[in-house]
Amino acid sequence: MMHQSRNILLCLLVACCSMGKAQQFGKKAALQPVTATGFYAIDINPQLSSFSTLDFADLRIADEQGQYQPYIIRSHVEHFFSRQSQPLPIISNTVTDSGKTVLIVENSQQQKLKEVTLVIRNAVVSRTANISGSDNRQSWFAIAENVNLESRFSDSADRYVQQFQFPLSSYRYFKIEINNGKNDALSIISAGHFTAVEGNQQAAMYVSNPACDFIQKDSNNISCINVTQSASFHTDRIVLYVKGPKFFKRAVDIQAGGMLHSFFISADTVFNFYPSSFKQRYFVIRIYNGDNPPLTVTRVATQQQHKQVVTYLEATKNYHLLLSDSLAVKPDYDLQQFADSIPADIKTLGFESIVDNNPPAAGLPSASAWKKWLWPILIAVLAVLAMFTLRLLKDVQKKQ
């Protein structure tokens, strides 16, 4: 009997070990044919990201022999010309009785501008502004209204640059009216505009996730917006579209899983939020209205940073992606040490539809089914082990 118990225990332990060690990638996608040996970039779209963790620990590239290919993840960026500020003389800078700062700058050569920049002494405040143009300082024409001034400052200087963007205009004079309300005015040092110069800069790009569904409920001075995405996409930016009065300022919380992020919104219709990256299908936006009428949310959109899988592939070989394994550990490839040596402009390689990875034959349990039995088997192992130990103690007592 003891020999039989030992055999049962051994079989259960072997089963648990084999289940625990085996990597089970639930999804796969065939890569397009590789026509020439070299580096390739595979765009990570929202569908692919929904089957992988935030750090892509469960993503692999395998050849037909099952050998994994080294890769790196890099953010895809947009290249554009760097810019240099050119001054615009400040003709007047006054504060009206109603608390508005009225700033008039001169575009003496009547260049076609689509932005004006102000150098402002550090101040962590929120303001809105209206921009108008004129050729004679008598008749003024609207250009942009309710433009948000960013609540920001510089850590390395006592001033920062505030940029106002608007439709291409060639007025000789631009008037910027900043709504201070009952607060003190900002300290504006100078004005200017940017011109393109040689040299490249980079900016992160974003990919829109599929459209969200949401339900808004207003209760106890709080608007609660429950957002549902069609899958658990990676989310790096949230865009909120609202309707409300001309002037408002509200606190906003965004809760996704165990993360909570706080922001402010004021006097505009579109707001961009940059929370820590998350991968949740459901999240909640709360707008604190105070004693004011609630804002109406008209649309919620989510986006993720445009990232690519960069790898070195050989011609004539067939490759595929493996995804979705909750037990996978992020690989550590030497290729990461040579990331700076990989050309920025490399060929993009697509992939086919993402499908289940090797569905089991009829009558055989799948990998997910085996995982469901993992805890029951572990409990059975402990039970058998306890029984084996108890019998061993009884045998020892009999011999004594």
Side-chain angles (χ1 to χ4, degrees), residues 24-160:
Q24 297 291 341
F25 293 96
K27 300 292 180 179
K28 70 175 182 179
L31 292 180
Q32 292 178 346
V34 178
T35 57
T37 299
F39 282 106
Y40 288 86
I42 304 164
D43 286 327
I44 298 174
N45 61 20
Q47 184 195 19
L48 190 153
S49 77
S50 70
F51 291 115
S52 187
T53 58
L54 284 173
D55 61 354
F56 301 99
D58 58 349
L59 186 149
R60 301 290 186 275
I61 303 172
D63 61 18
E64 56 259 272
Q65 305 301 322
Q67 298 296 315
Y68 295 154
Q69 308 302 306
Y71 69 86
I72 63 170
I73 301 292
R74 87 178 169 189
S75 297
H76 188 63
V77 295
E78 182 180 17
H79 294 266
F80 56 90
F81 287 109
S82 63
R83 301 177 300 172
Q84 185 174 8
S85 180
Q86 300 294 325
L88 291 173
I90 296 177
I91 302 301
S92 68
N93 182 2
T94 59
V95 178
T96 66
D97 293 338
S98 61
K100 288 184 179 179
T101 296
V102 180
L103 186 79
I104 299 177
V105 299
E106 184 179 12
N107 176 24
S108 58
Q109 297 181 358
Q110 294 192 264
Q111 302 179 65
K112 294 180 179 179
L113 305 181
K114 56 182 179 180
E115 62 187 2
V116 169
T117 60
L118 300 181
V119 177
I120 304 174
R121 291 192 184 276
N122 285 339
V124 186
V125 297
S126 297
R127 297 283 191 275
T128 60
N130 297 329
I131 302 173
S132 54
S134 173
D135 287 327
N136 55 19
R137 294 181 61 186
Q138 301 298 320
S139 301
W140 293 93
F141 303 94
I143 298 176
E145 295 181 343
N146 297 326
V147 179
N148 273 331
L149 279 73
E150 301 175 23
S151 178
R152 53 177 294 194
F153 59 92
S154 172
D155 288 325
S156 58
D158 65 346
R159 61 201 65 188
Y160 68 96

